[in-house]
Amino acid sequence: MSLREKEAVYDVIVVGGGIAGVCAAIAAAREGASVAIVQNRSVFGGTASSEIRMHIVGANCHSSKPDLRETGILEEILLENKRRNPYAAFPVFDMILWEKVFLEEGVTAYLNTNMDDVILDEGRIRGIVCHQNSTETQFTLCGTLFIDATGHGTLGVMAGAASRVGSEARAEFQEPTAPETANQDTMGNTIMFLAVDRGEPVRFEKPVWAHTYTEEDLKYRSHVDEICAQADGGGTVAPEEGKNQLPEFSNVDAGYWWIELGGDYNDIIEQGEEIRDDLLKCVYGVWDHIKNQGNHGVENYDLEWVGMVPGYRESRRLEGEYILNENDVRANRVFEDAVAYGGWPMDVHVPGGIRDLNSYGSKVYNFEGCYTIPYRCYVSRDVDNLMMAGRDISTSKMAFSSTRVMGTCAVGGQAVGTAAALAIRYGCTPKQVGEQHIRELQQELMKNDCYLPGFANEDEADMARTARVSASSEQDDGRAERVINGVARNVNGQVNCWKSASLEEPQTLTLKLFEEREVRQVRLTFDTDLSHEIQPSMIKNVRDRQVKGLPRELVKDYRVSLLLDGNVVGTREVRGNGQRLNVLDFDGGECDEVQITVESSHGCDYACIFEVRIY
């Protein structure tokens, strides 16, 4: 029994504080909704937090698919982390996430708070009952709309929503690589570890309870320094035809995704504690093998950290208005109601994990390009005020093996949060947003730097779309007028930005409006090299592929001037910019021209701007 009880009411309640939940909560608040985010642990970030320390991967597949890195709120968070946390310490990343949530106006955060019960009213969720361990407080949180970002689909299942576990039979969706017969197998959980070079020999004594592994046992699990094709964090995967095999490095300092269990247990959720204990025996057994059996080059390495919170890959999926399937993924399908995208390969781990040592740990099904995810996958088909964000969205098992990664979950979370706020604004259900306001949702997402393949800026309020664009200089592959072509990144080799000549002197981009207009806001989208990764990672080889600090292409110092008849009537100056999307507000005076003058970048010798919007 709680010592104290409290109640609160919000427009939108997000349950789950992983990357998807964080992006959903921030997006909904920025669109004007009052938001609560309930997280049952002491930090945000889920699998990307310091508790688990998995790096955020997504559609660009460890930089093997150009220009496909996710943007929007996730990009904002990762760029801030690069600026303030150049050595990618995960506890500092925890702070960046905490700051983003706690300083966002309109968001109330409940950390260390577990959802214990769901209050239903004629098939709708009216509220949730939660217990905050740290304050011995029971909270009853009531809301209009609810977002399940729990990973397990816990809120949805407690509310009576249909869910799925395991693989569908091949015939259900005619998926070419699904099993002939449906099963309940899942991908397993993993505990990560970190080792550091102490500069002198370090002894390791194997705990008596740890497992023993021989080189023969681990012949299909790479654990030496070599380049190999890997799945979501390091280690060998089964060879598969097709380009864009995941480029990754094996390593001895951190890992391994293949220390994995739970996929063939009776219930991966109910047995979570047992799985964690079994994983600890595996982690320490693998490290004993690396340290004490054979020459793995780790004489000076010391085991510094082993996680106590396993990272889940798979459990339940909630059923939505549409179930994304393998054929959609392989076809790079563009849905009319697309609100997010993915590009990670279909990456299916063996259910037995490290208990299945006679096979590769994962089968990777590669495909070119990316696919979109329809809004209907984020809307419950059973509970009309429930939405989903993260790995529990509505997909088949095969499609899930691609959509489950955190970069894809993040952009889906932003889409769901934005849609929830629209539903509040219009007094409608999430389903009605898809039926009546989908174009507005898509345009709002793109305005906030979310990429939707196959879609472009059609915002009628954007005065830049009809402006005459010129520049003090431009390169042949970066004409000035491309800043208003509606696409804010390069796509399939097509350059969609302005590139100036040398920045030895300031370079200016000018947008001449077709008539005098009141300008209250200018939005600029800069280049942050979306072909390469910027996420924190324990794995040295992943960090070494990144620039330390901010991307060199990013504009650093610039000013925006509003002119009327050639005279400056308003100006904003920015020094030390660290973000891709910059939103500059003005007092709203009349002008007929907007000039952006770039003075420096973070290392590039030319100015680059992908998009200019004027409101």
Side-chain angles (χ1 to χ4, degrees):
M1 179 177 178
S2 298
L3 295 181
R4 55 192 61 84
E5 297 182 3
K6 295 183 179 180
E7 297 183 0
V9 179
Y10 301 92
D11 293 327
V12 178
I13 296 176
V14 180
V15 183
I19 294 296
V22 165
C23 290
I26 292 172
R30 289 180 179 178
E31 294 294 330
S34 62
V35 181
I37 181 168
V38 178
Q39 166 70 331
N40 63 357
R41 307 201 65 82
S42 60
V43 293
F44 293 112
T47 307
S49 75
S50 64
E51 293 186 314
I52 300 173
R53 305 192 185 191
M54 181 61 197
H55 46 219
I56 298 170
V57 297
N60 78 336
C61 300
H62 283 308
S63 302
S64 68
K65 290 186 175 183
D67 302 308
L68 279 179
R69 194 174 79 225
E70 294 78 10
T71 48
I73 292 171
L74 176 63
E75 175 85 346
E76 176 185 331
I77 291 169
L78 294 182
L79 286 171
E80 183 68 2
N81 185 66
K82 290 287 283 183
R83 186 176 75 85
R84 295 162 62 186
N85 187 21
Y87 291 96
F90 273 89
V92 177
F93 186 54
D94 287 344
M95 180 274 297
I96 297 291
L97 289 168
W98 173 87
E99 178 181 278
K100 282 293 181 183
V101 175
F102 271 81
L103 297 187
E104 186 65 47
E105 185 177 355
V107 176
T108 301
Y110 295 85
L111 288 172
N112 298 303
T113 303
N114 193 68
M115 176 184 63
D116 294 331
D117 200 4
V118 174
I119 303 169
L120 298 176
D121 183 7
E122 296 183 351
R124 289 174 58 89
I125 305 172
R126 187 171 66 84
I128 57 175
V129 180
C130 307
H131 179 80
Q132 189 172 59
N133 300 329
S134 55
T135 64
E136 298 180 334
T137 302
Q138 177 176 293
F139 290 98
T140 299
L141 306 178
C142 294
T144 304
L145 295 179
F146 293 79
I147 297 173
D148 188 326
T150 63
H152 292 330
T154 306
L155 171 59
V157 171
M158 292 174 71
S163 64
R164 295 180 174 224
V165 175
S167 296
E168 291 80 6
R170 183 175 302 175
E172 181 170 358
F173 298 108
Q174 303 302 314
E175 295 176 302
T177 51
E180 288 288 346
T181 305
N183 62 58
Q184 295 293 297
D185 293 340
T186 64
M187 291 183 268
N189 303 343
T190 289
I191 280 179
M192 304 294 285
F193 72 84
L194 175 65
V196 295
D197 187 344
R198 301 298 188 190
E200 62 182 13
V202 179
R203 177 175 172 270
F204 175 76
E205 180 178 336
K206 175 188 170 186
V208 295
W209 43 259
H211 294 318
T212 298
Y213 297 100
T214 67
E215 199 66 37
E216 176 64 19
D217 290 333
L218 300 181
K219 64 184 177 182
Y220 292 114
R221 303 293 193 274
S222 185
H223 54 283
V224 294
D225 286 321
E226 63 181 16
I227 298 176
C228 61
Q230 295 190 341
D232 52 17
T236 307
V237 298
E240 172 73 12
E241 291 184 355
K243 299 178 181 179
N244 296 317
Q245 188 79 18
L246 298 178
E248 184 56 272
F249 292 80
S250 183
N251 53 282
V252 294
D253 62 328
Y256 290 115
W257 65 265
W258 49 260
I259 302 178
E260 174 180 3
L261 289 173
D264 59 354
Y265 284 47
N266 292 331
D267 189 319
I268 196 168
I269 299 174
E270 182 180 349
Q271 295 176 272
E273 293 287 293
E274 174 188 343
I275 292 167
R276 181 207 54 225
D277 295 345
D278 290 346
L279 281 169
L280 288 171
K281 299 174 185 177
C282 298
V283 170
Y284 281 90
V286 168
W287 184 247
D288 169 66
H289 170 81
I290 293 172
K291 280 288 288 186
N292 298 327
Q293 298 184 46
N295 182 16
H296 294 96
V298 294
E299 184 181 20
N300 293 353
Y301 278 81
D302 185 22
L303 189 61
E304 182 174 78
W305 174 84
V306 176
M308 290 298 292
V309 180
Y312 277 84
R313 287 180 180 82
E314 180 181 2
S315 49
R316 304 186 193 97
R317 306 182 302 279
L318 298 176
E319 292 188 11
E321 295 288 326
Y322 182 80
I323 298 176
L324 190 77
N325 64 69
E326 177 184 357
N327 298 307
D328 300 324
V329 171
R330 287 187 179 273
N332 290 175
R333 186 170 175 185
V334 176
F335 291 88
E336 289 186 7
D337 62 339
V339 292
Y341 73 100
W344 186 259
M346 288 176 287
D347 172 19
V348 184
H349 294 213
V350 295
I354 197 171
R355 298 200 298 187
D356 185 0
L357 292 172
N358 292 319
S359 68
Y360 290 97
S362 177
K363 182 75 171 179
V364 173
Y365 301 92
N366 288 290
F367 57 90
E368 296 286 346
C370 63
Y371 57 90
T372 64
I373 305 174
Y375 176 70
R376 289 163 290 162
C377 289
Y378 298 98
V379 178
S380 170
R381 70 173 176 84
D382 302 304
V383 183
D384 71 359
N385 66 337
L386 175 65
M387 306 180 76
M388 300 87 79
R391 62 182 174 86
D392 59 10
I393 68 170
S394 181
T395 70
S396 72
K397 165 65 172 277
M398 286 305 302
F400 164 85
S401 68
S402 172
T403 63
R404 67 185 175 86
V405 293
M406 285 184 280
T408 306
C409 292
V411 292
Q414 183 166 353
V416 169
T418 304
L422 285 181
I424 296 297
R425 186 180 306 163
Y426 290 113
C428 65
T429 65
K431 182 179 179 180
Q432 289 170 330
V433 170
E435 295 169 343
Q436 302 169 16
H437 306 288
I438 190 63
R439 181 179 177 275
E440 181 179 354
L441 172 59
Q442 291 167 332
Q443 291 298 316
E444 188 67 13
L445 289 170
M446 287 186 285
K447 181 180 180 180
N448 289 306
D449 197 26
C450 291
Y451 175 50
L452 296 182
F455 294 81
N457 173 20
E458 297 177 353
D459 188 347
E460 295 176 357
D462 177 11
M463 291 178 268
R465 293 177 62 225
T466 56
R468 187 172 72 252
V469 185
S470 61
S472 56
S473 67
E474 59 185 14
Q475 299 181 28
D476 289 340
D477 65 342
R479 299 295 185 184
E481 63 269 14
R482 291 177 182 171
V483 299
I484 59 169
N485 73 358
V487 182
R489 66 170 65 200
N490 297 331
V491 178
N492 296 326
Q494 171 63 48
V495 176
N496 292 311
C497 61
W498 166 58
K499 294 181 183 179
S500 76
S502 172
L503 269 175
E504 291 182 359
E505 58 184 32
Q507 300 293 325
T508 298
L509 180 72
T510 300
L511 288 85
K512 183 71 174 179
L513 305 182
F514 73 93
E515 63 180 1
E516 291 182 17
R517 298 290 298 274
E518 182 182 56
V519 171
R520 292 190 172 275
Q521 188 179 87
V522 175
R523 302 172 78 94
L524 305 173
T525 304
F526 297 119
D527 186 8
T528 49
D529 183 13
L530 299 181
S531 293
H532 294 94
E533 298 172 292
I534 60 171
Q535 84 277 31
S537 176
M538 283 197 304
I539 298 174
K540 182 178 184 297
N541 294 315
V542 174
R543 297 196 306 272
D544 286 349
R545 294 200 300 267
Q546 304 182 29
V547 296
K548 187 171 73 173
L550 291 164
R552 60 190 302 273
E553 295 83 0
L554 178 60
V555 167
K556 181 179 180 181
D557 300 322
Y558 71 94
R559 69 177 179 273
V560 176
S561 301
L562 307 184
L563 289 82
L564 180 63
D565 297 328
N567 299 309
V568 175
V569 294
T571 187
R572 286 286 309 277
E573 191 170 286
V574 176
R575 290 286 179 266
N577 170 52
Q579 286 295 328
R580 172 177 152 89
L581 176 62
N582 281 217
V583 180
L584 306 179
D585 292 322
F586 291 86
D587 292 335
E590 295 283 327
C591 74
D592 58 14
E593 188 175 299
V594 176
Q595 289 186 351
I596 302 106
T597 300
V598 177
E599 298 177 7
S600 67
S601 72
H602 285 273
C604 186
D605 61 359
Y606 58 84
C608 184
I609 300 177
F610 269 101
E611 184 173 70
V612 179
R613 293 185 180 220
I614 303 171
Y615 296 95

